Amino acid sequence: MKRQGSLLEILLVSLRLGLTSFGGPIAHLGYFRDEYIERRKWVTDKTYADLVALSQFLPGPASSQVGIGIGVMRGGILGGIVSFIGFTMPSVIALIIFAMIVSSFDVSNAGWLQGLKIVAVAVVAHAIMGMAKNLTPDLKRKAMALLALSVTLLWQTTISQVVAIVIAGIAGFFLFKGDTSDENPEFKFPVSKMTGAALLTLFFALLAILPIAREITTANWIAMFDSFYRSGSLVFGGGHVVLPLLEREFVPTGWLTEEEFLAGYGAAQAVPGPLFTFAAYIGAVIGGWQGGLLATAAIFLPAFLLILGALPFWNSLRTNPKMKAAFMGVNAAVVGILISAFYFPIWTSSIIEPIHFVLAAFLFSMLVFWKLPPWLVVLTGAVAGLLFL
């Protein structure tokens, strides 16, 4: 197995993946495996499986964290940074450009915008189906999902997300501690435990300090950085779950309108790469291209700190049945949070008339039954909205 490579090589390979990886995190992991294991043999199947397992264990964008981990194994910490840049920048640039277009025109009554809002209905419904099947297979976890749905829908604040996750984690700790097992061999990673501990300390320090800095200063960039960093720190379950966190951070506070928010969410489905780059769109609407880059750095920084900080300790974490049990509960709560976001704001702002429901059903069928690529579904929704809505 090859272990070292040039930063340029890592950049070019990850850039090609960033330009072609459509379909969400699960599809991204498939592209990664084809490229990094089958074609280039940079890592083994076992190492790759360990990286994927850890990315599912931690909050943040799973595919991006796996890409960062492979980059570090190939070229050190700089390799991880370069791998992230290559995979993420194509969609960041595309969404910043889209934000500039949206900001220049009145989009509140545009038919194509309504079409994109309905695309969001189909995409999130599809995500709910897949996640519910995998993460809530029994009645106890279904009940946790229902509780999380109730808390986040009836108590619509940012802290409600955290409360639902904490409650589910505690419940999972007690309910599932006898239901887990792991017999995998040790996993080695070129980051020391001391470095890992420092990065984890920085992660929690920023999570505590940024809200305080936001309160004692009037700088908008600190407020933005805090909102994006906190959202990136609290997302278990992938990019779709970041939607309610970001919506409740930026729409009620007036940073951007609901129409602008949902237009960007629809556009994010049409570009390759991680859905977390939706933050670049929001940042660009608020503060131009500089805001887009700031938002991207802030929402992905937790993923960097967590994946690099946790990997040296992963062997002991993944074999601890109590920790694994807690995360079984957390994952169930994620399903409830996603259903809550599906109802509000997505469904309530998108499905107003019968034709809206018909279009949503058609787009959902394109995704689920005909298995067409997401970019085609997005394009169909925008064109249908322009022609018929």
Side-chain angles (χ1 to χ4, degrees):
M1 180 178 65
K2 300 177 183 177
R3 294 193 178 275
Q4 294 297 323
S6 70
L7 297 181
L8 179 60
E9 178 191 32
I10 296 169
L11 176 64
L12 292 176
V13 173
S14 60
L15 178 61
R16 187 165 71 83
L17 288 166
L19 290 167
T20 58
S21 295
F22 291 90
I26 302 303
H28 298 166
L29 295 176
Y31 291 124
F32 284 3
R33 188 184 182 283
D34 289 342
E35 185 67 33
Y36 292 130
I37 297 176
E38 297 294 334
R39 289 194 61 205
R40 300 185 179 275
K41 304 188 187 304
W42 284 4
V43 294
T44 65
D45 261 316
K46 180 64 190 66
T47 298
Y48 185 70
D50 276 324
L51 281 173
V52 172
L54 179 56
S55 72
Q56 302 294 333
F57 188 83
L58 297 171
S63 57
S64 297
Q65 288 171 317
V66 171
I68 292 167
I70 291 175
V72 172
M73 298 184 79
R74 181 69 176 166
I77 292 180
L78 282 179
I81 295 172
V82 166
S83 178
F84 163 77
I85 291 173
F87 183 59
T88 306
M89 279 303 111
S91 55
V92 168
I93 293 169
L95 289 172
I96 288 176
I97 292 172
F98 182 74
M100 299 294 99
I101 296 172
V102 168
S103 299
S104 301
F105 299 96
D106 178 14
V107 300
S108 58
N109 296 311
W112 62 267
L113 169 61
Q114 181 62 30
L116 289 179
K117 290 162 73 172
I118 294 172
V119 168
V121 172
V123 169
V124 177
H126 185 209
I128 288 171
M129 284 181 56
M131 293 179 66
K133 180 179 179 181
N134 294 324
L135 301 181
T136 57
D138 53 58
L139 287 178
K140 289 185 286 188
R141 278 176 279 185
K142 286 179 171 65
M144 289 184 185
L146 179 60
L147 177 62
L149 181 158
S150 303
V151 169
T152 54
L153 201 55
L154 298 176
W155 182 30
Q156 293 179 14
T157 65
T158 301
I159 196 173
S160 66
Q161 317 285 327
V162 183
V163 170
I165 286 173
V166 169
I167 291 173
I170 294 171
F173 178 85
F174 290 104
L175 291 174
F176 303 117
K177 58 185 177 182
D179 298 345
T180 61
S181 62
D182 196 326
E183 299 178 355
N184 290 329
E186 284 198 0
F187 169 58
K188 297 181 180 180
F189 190 77
V191 174
S192 69
K193 287 188 175 182
M194 183 176 294
T195 301
L199 293 174
L200 291 176
T201 300
L202 179 58
F203 166 78
F204 288 108
L206 288 173
L207 200 58
I209 292 171
L210 284 172
I212 298 172
R214 178 178 188 162
E215 292 298 322
I216 62 177
T217 67
T218 57
N220 282 340
W221 73 269
I222 292 180
M224 279 181 61
F225 198 95
D226 170 53
S227 291
F228 284 113
Y229 183 86
R230 188 155 22 89
S231 297
S233 301
L234 299 177
V235 174
F236 291 87
H240 293 289
V241 185
V242 83
L243 172 69
L245 292 174
L246 292 177
E247 192 273 341
R248 288 162 189 166
E249 286 285 341
F250 294 101
V251 174
T253 54
W255 289 76
L256 74 167
T257 67
E258 186 173 289
E259 288 77 16
E260 290 172 329
F261 181 88
L262 288 169
Y265 183 66
Q269 310 298 321
V271 297
L275 188 59
F276 268 54
T277 55
F278 177 42
Y281 165 85
I282 296 176
V285 169
I286 296 171
W289 65 267
Q290 300 96 329
L293 294 180
L294 176 71
T296 302
I299 202 166
F300 280 101
L301 180 57
F304 261 99
L305 297 177
L306 285 170
I307 191 73
L308 296 181
L311 273 164
F313 304 98
W314 178 228
N315 282 321
S316 55
L317 280 175
R318 68 183 183 149
T319 55
N320 185 321
K322 293 180 180 179
M323 291 298 297
K324 293 181 69 176
F327 275 88
M328 287 172 68
V330 167
N331 287 334
V334 164
V335 175
I337 292 171
L338 187 56
I339 297 172
S340 172
F342 177 68
Y343 175 74
F344 180 84
I346 298 172
W347 182 280
T348 56
S349 64
S350 304
I351 308 299
I352 311 299
E353 301 174 6
I355 192 173
H356 298 159
F357 185 84
V358 170
L359 179 56
F362 180 77
L363 296 171
F364 180 82
S365 298
M366 291 177 67
L367 271 175
V368 178
F369 305 130
W370 303 328
K371 302 190 184 302
L372 297 174
W375 66 265
L376 183 59
V377 177
V378 172
L379 182 61
T380 302
V383 171
L386 189 63
L387 294 177
F388 303 116
L389 304 182

